[in-house]
Amino acid sequence: MLTLYYAPGTCALASLIALEESGLAFETKKISLRDGEQRSPDYLKINPKGRVPALVTDYGVLTENAGDPGLYRPERAGRQAGAA
């Protein structure tokens, strides 16, 4: 299962759209920048830079361009490329 950490009103929207279009199963976790959640010890374990988005996969964490279909290949997620 993929988990996308995002904050509303940030560039994480592009990652969210790309994941929705991919058809892969994923969940989202909202990070409140206003409350400083990106600097919490728990989030810094996921992304030491304290930025969003971050995409947690079975193979590691993508912290730049998270959700870019070119970086996370559907074949690795148990799907054939191009399969619906």
Side-chain angles (χ1 to χ4, degrees):
M1 170 68 77
L2 302 172
T3 303
L4 177 68
Y5 289 81
Y6 77 100
T10 67
C11 65
L13 177 62
S15 299
L16 180 59
I17 291 169
L19 282 170
E20 287 178 348
E21 292 294 321
S22 75
L24 296 171
F26 71 97
E27 64 179 0
T28 58
K29 302 277 183 165
K30 182 178 169 184
I31 298 294
S32 173
L33 301 181
R34 178 183 295 180
D35 295 337
E37 288 182 41
Q38 76 278 17
R39 294 184 300 270
S40 72
D42 286 340
Y43 188 69
L44 290 174
K45 289 178 189 174
I46 296 164
N47 185 352
K49 293 180 181 180
R51 298 180 185 164
V52 293
L55 180 65
V56 178
T57 76
D58 292 337
Y59 304 98
V61 180
L62 296 172
T63 59
E64 304 297 327
N65 299 315
D68 179 343
L71 295 176
Y72 185 78
R73 296 193 327 245
E75 305 86 55
R76 286 190 171 178
R79 281 187 46 190
Q80 295 276 334

